[in-house]
Structure formats: structure tokens, C-alpha cells
């Protein structure tokens, strides 16, 4: 757990304990720390700051494509030499920004950064014994921001790439609930989850346009991008739309607290962490450029692993 997440969890615990301690005053001795035996419906929203773990790819690593055979006059003597050249399908945001800087803004770039996901949750939980509870639920998640980068010159978007992510997760938990009076509680629970998820990569990467526009001077800036002039490259990638889907089972745990805000209502804040193995899924490239730069049927991991920061409302039954 990183420092940021630890601080968030510490805040949840501190709020739950302080509110719960106050609300516990006046409760009958011996019952303040026991369950009331109630059940609750759960309605919440969540944020996930790196869906599918793609943040590093989007921001700093990019995505390499297949190498290609290139025939060029390297010495300027009219004799072409054949060699292998690396090819990148995705430029990371930091490289796009650098290209804009070194061209004095002639190549205009706009980067959205890594994806941020948002989700909606419904669930049901029930007190068990004095200090235990179980919960089942359903969470639907999708991208709400980030994951879109563009680069243009002379008004033409030669690079326009969008990432998307969606998932449905069904978790089940059984854990400990420390009741602080009848109005507040702090809880921790391990569990299992089933997930069905997808992520999508779509857009256009047209290195050929810059080669035609700038000639050999383009090679110092975007020589790695897919283009037709490289023998066997398959052409620029236009209107690609490849989707990777996967499903599986993983381990989860939640840490949170809730406090009463009305006769039947509770406000809650929690962190839900999914520890899922990455399932390697196979997609299908749609464009000829995508076939050559990526693969006809590329395979990449699909996962819902990560921290989900959730707030919402519980209604007591």
C-alpha cells in the first residue's frame, strides 16, 4: 500500500473512531460494542485511479509495435541499405509533450493522462453474531476521465488514441465489525470476487502523413510511428479499435467505517482492494496497419486489481 492510500485509510479510521466514540456516549454498558442484528442495503460510488494498471503505459512507457524492415539510403550515395527498425504503436504522454517542446509547438499535443475510473455499487450486508457481518454486492465501473492523447500538425490529427475500460465485479465478504455504540462502526473484511472486464484501444496513428509532409526531417521526430514507406509495415494505423475481454475470480478485502445520519440511514467511507490475477485475453485488430504494427490477434492482460475509494449510503432494514 502506498503512502497516499495509507493516509486515506488513516483518515477513514480516525473519522469512524471519533464519531463513533461520541455517539457511543449514553449507550447501555455491555451493548455498545455489539451488533444490533440489523441488515442494510448499500448504495455507493467509487473512484479507481488506474484501471487495468495501464497508467504507466499511457503516461511514460508507451506500447511497442512489431519491428519492420526498412530500406533507406543511409549514406546519401544512392545505395539503399536494408535493416530492421523498431516500431511504436503508442507514444506515452511524456514523449508527446517532448515532441511538442522540441518542435516549438509546431506539433501540437494534448494529453489526458492515465485513466480514472468511476463506479456505482449496490449491495446487501447483515450482522452476524456480536461482531461479525457478511456482505454481497455488485459494482459497475467505467472510465470517467483521462486516457485520450492527440498530436496534430497543420490542423491534421496524425495521432489520436483513446483508452477505455469497463468492468462488473461481484464481491462477497465475511468480516469483523467493531461497533462504537449503535450509531457507528469500523469494519474489516476479507472476501472473494468474480469479475468480467474489458479494456479498449482505439484511434489513428499516422506516421506516413508526417513523412510525406516533412520528408527526411520527420525521421528525427516520429520515425518510430507506423507508416507505409517502411517495407512490410502494413501502412499507418487508421481507425483501429481492438478490445480485450476477460473474466475470473480473485481475492478482495475492505476497510471502512460508517456512522448514522438519520433514523434508518448511515454514511459510509471505505477502501475496497481487489487482488486479481491478470488474465491474458486475445483481441482482434481491425485495421491493416494494426495487424502489422500490433498483431492480427494480440494478447494482453485484463484485470480489475487495485484500490477502489468508495463513499455512499446504507439503509437499515
Amino acid at each position: 500500500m502506498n503512502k497516499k492510500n495509507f493516509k486515506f485509510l488513516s483518515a477513514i479510521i480516525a473519522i469512524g473512531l471519533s464519531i463513533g466514540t461520541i455517539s457511543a456516549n449514553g449507550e447501555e454498558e455491555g451493548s455498545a460494542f455489539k451488533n444490533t442484528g440489523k441488515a442494510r442495503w448499500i448504495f455507493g460510488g467509487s473512484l479507481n485511479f488506474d484501471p487495468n494498471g495501464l497508467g504507466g503505459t499511457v503516461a511514460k512507457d508507451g506500447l511497442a509495435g512489431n519491428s519492420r524492415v526498412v530500406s533507406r539510403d543511409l549514406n546519401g550515395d544512392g545505395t539503399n541499405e536494408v535493416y530492421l527498425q523498431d516500431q511504436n504503436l503508442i507514444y506515452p504522454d511524456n514523449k508527446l509533450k517532448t515532441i511538442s517542446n522540441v518542435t516549438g509547438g509546431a506539433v501540437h499535443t494534448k494529453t489526458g493522462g492515465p485513466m480514472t475510473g468511476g463506479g456505482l455499487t449496490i449491495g446487501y450486508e447483515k450482522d452476524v453474531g456480536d461482531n461479525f457481518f457478511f456482505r454481497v454486492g455488485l459494482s459497475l465501473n467505467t472510465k470517467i476521465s483521462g486516457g485520450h492523447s492527440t498530436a496534430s500538425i497543420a490542423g491534421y490529427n496524425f495521432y489520436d488514441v483513446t483508452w477505455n475500460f469497463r468492468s462488473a465485479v461481484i464481491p462477497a465478504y465475511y468480516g469483523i465489525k467493531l461497533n462504537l455504540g449503535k450509531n457507528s462502526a469500523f469494519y474489516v473484511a476479507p472476501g472473494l470476487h468474480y469479475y468480467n472486464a474489458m479494456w479498449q484501444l482505439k484511434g489513428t496513428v499516422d506516421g506516413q502523413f508526417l513523412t510525406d509532409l516533412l520528408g527526411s526531417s520527420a525521421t528525427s521526430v516520429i520515425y518510430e510511428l507506423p507508416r507505409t514507406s517502411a517495407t512490410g509495415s502494413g501502412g499507418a494505423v487508421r481507425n483501429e479499435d481492438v478490445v480485450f475481454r476477460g473474466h475470473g475470480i480473485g481475492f478482495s478485502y475492505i476497510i471502512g467505517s460508517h456512522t448514522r445520519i438519520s433514523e434508518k440511514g448511515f454514511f459510509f467511507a471505505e477502501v475496497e482492494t481487489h487482488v486479481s490475477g491478470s488474465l491474458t485475453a486475445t483481441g482482434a485488430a481491425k485495421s491493416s496497419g494494426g495487424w502489422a504494427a500490433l498483431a492480427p490477434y494480440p494478447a494482453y492482460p485484463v484485470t480489475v486489481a487495485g484500490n477502489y475509494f468508495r463513499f455512499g449510503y446504507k439503509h437499515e432494514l
Side-chain angles (χ1 to χ4, degrees), residues 42-153:
I42 301 167
F43 307 92
S46 64
L47 291 174
N48 173 25
F49 294 101
D50 188 12
N52 207 83
L54 292 167
T57 302
V58 175
K60 62 183 179 63
D61 298 330
L63 184 63
N66 296 321
S67 296
R68 60 190 171 193
V69 178
V70 179
S71 177
R72 283 183 56 199
D73 181 4
L74 296 176
N75 301 317
D77 58 3
T79 302
N80 285 351
E81 298 183 22
V82 177
Y83 63 98
L84 280 177
Q85 183 183 71
D86 291 334
Q87 188 172 202
N88 280 351
L89 179 63
I90 300 298
Y91 271 178
D93 286 355
N94 62 348
K95 188 164 187 175
L96 288 174
K97 181 62 176 176
T98 299
I99 291 173
S100 178
N101 292 339
V102 300
T103 59
V107 177
H108 176 71
T109 62
K110 184 177 180 180
T111 57
M115 290 186 287
T116 296
L120 296 175
T121 296
I122 59 172
Y124 173 85
E125 69 179 22
K126 178 73 168 61
D127 292 345
V128 178
D130 289 342
N131 289 106
F132 294 91
F133 75 102
F134 74 86
R135 179 197 289 190
V136 293
L138 169 66
S139 296
L140 302 176
N141 307 281
T142 189
K143 185 189 83 169
I144 58 174
S145 66
H148 184 202
S149 301
T150 64
S152 62
I153 187 169

Side-chain angles (χ1 to χ4, degrees), residues 113-281:
M115 290 186 287
T116 296
L120 296 175
T121 296
I122 59 172
Y124 173 85
E125 69 179 22
K126 178 73 168 61
D127 292 345
V128 178
D130 289 342
N131 289 106
F132 294 91
F133 75 102
F134 74 86
R135 179 197 289 190
V136 293
L138 169 66
S139 296
L140 302 176
N141 307 281
T142 189
K143 185 189 83 169
I144 58 174
S145 66
H148 184 202
S149 301
T150 64
S152 62
I153 187 169
Y156 174 66
N157 275 357
F158 66 89
Y159 186 97
D160 191 340
V161 171
T162 300
W163 304 78
N164 286 304
F165 175 83
R166 290 192 296 273
S167 70
V169 183
I170 302 174
Y173 296 100
Y174 188 90
I176 297 173
K177 183 158 70 77
L178 175 60
N179 297 284
L180 302 165
K182 295 182 179 179
N183 295 328
S184 297
F186 170 71
Y187 50 89
V188 179
L192 297 174
H193 71 265
Y194 169 81
Y195 74 91
N196 192 313
M198 61 79 74
W199 65 273
Q200 176 186 32
L201 180 61
K202 59 187 296 185
T204 292
V205 183
D206 188 0
Q208 186 61 43
F209 172 79
L210 287 188
T211 301
D212 293 341
L213 180 67
L214 303 177
S216 61
S217 62
T219 61
S220 63
V221 178
I222 47 79
Y223 69 94
E224 300 162 324
L225 294 180
R227 61 184 191 270
T228 306
S229 60
T231 302
S233 72
V237 179
R238 294 186 176 90
N239 300 316
E240 182 55 74
D241 188 358
V242 59
V243 176
F244 302 92
R245 303 181 187 274
H247 58 88
I249 296 174
F251 172 75
S252 301
Y253 61 91
I254 50 173
I255 301 175
S257 63
H258 69 227
T259 190
R260 189 182 298 274
I261 57 175
S262 66
E263 181 181 356
K264 293 287 189 179
F266 294 82
F267 169 79
F268 76 91
E270 62 188 29
V271 176
E272 180 177 46
T273 301
H274 297 315
V275 183
S276 298
S278 297
L279 175 71
T280 300

